[in-house]
Amino acid sequence: MVILKVINEGKKAVYRLGHRFDPKEEKEIQVTKKQVLTIKAHRDLKVQIVDEKKEVPEFSGTSEEMKLEVGGEVLPMEEKAFDPIEFVTSSTVNEVMEKVEGGGLSAEKALEIEKENQGRSSLISKLEAVLEGSQEEQGE
């Protein structure tokens, strides 16, 4: 969030982002970074940034060891539990196949999820081929 000091140097009231800026009046408002441009776009409004607040804490470290930095103190991040349904439905065919081949997800489960949700024929045929290959290995 950003705190702005806005001065209307025009002769008419200006309305932006739910605020009324009367002529020759100075007003402080709090907006997001994207909304700053909406205010600056009007020719009669002069904008001065008073304070910028960081909304999201900064992350430090690699993806393997995500840590949350809070007030100079580094805390380990809790890992999000793996949700196979969300993974299969939001990933590309190649990402799903890499996870199946890497052993992170069973081909049966991925196939079941894909048939229930998106039904991508390319992924279904690849998963069925993996299943047939594993059944042939077990049969020998």
Side-chain angles (χ1 to χ4, degrees):
M1 296 301 272
V2 180
I3 298 176
L4 301 177
K5 186 184 290 186
V6 182
I7 302 170
N8 181 0
E9 295 183 342
K11 295 182 181 179
K12 294 183 179 181
V14 175
Y15 296 90
R16 286 285 184 273
L17 301 175
H19 295 278
R20 176 188 169 126
F21 301 100
D22 291 320
K24 311 293 183 209
E25 185 179 297
E26 184 177 298
K27 186 174 185 178
E28 279 194 15
I29 61 169
Q30 185 173 351
V31 294
T32 64
K33 287 186 177 185
K34 289 181 180 180
Q35 292 173 331
V36 171
L37 295 176
T38 303
I39 300 291
K40 282 185 174 182
H42 196 280
R43 64 180 178 179
D44 291 337
L45 298 180
K46 300 301 174 211
V47 178
Q48 180 182 13
I49 297 176
V50 176
D51 187 25
E52 282 191 57
K53 298 178 184 176
K54 291 186 178 177
E55 268 184 34
V56 181
E58 293 183 17
F59 293 104
S60 60
T62 62
S63 59
E64 290 87 33
E65 50 181 49
M66 290 292 284
K67 296 180 187 281
L68 177 61
E69 196 171 313
V70 179
E73 192 176 328
V74 178
L75 306 171
M77 289 284 293
E78 292 181 21
E79 286 192 29
K80 186 178 176 185
F82 178 71
D83 182 11
I85 296 172
E86 182 181 339
F87 176 77
V88 172
T89 56
S90 65
S91 299
T92 64
V93 173
N94 291 336
E95 290 171 340
V96 174
M97 291 308 297
E98 286 174 9
K99 190 79 163 178
V100 168
E101 290 166 0
L105 180 64
S106 70
E108 296 90 11
K109 182 72 174 171
L111 183 62
E112 177 185 326
I113 293 169
E114 185 60 28
K115 284 183 177 178
E116 288 176 7
N117 293 292
Q118 291 182 321
R120 295 175 281 189
S121 59
S122 57
L123 180 56
I124 291 172
S125 63
K126 287 182 180 184
L127 289 170
E128 287 173 344
V130 168
L131 285 173
E132 289 172 9
S134 66
Q135 288 174 355
E136 287 176 8
E137 289 176 7
Q138 289 176 359
E140 292 178 0

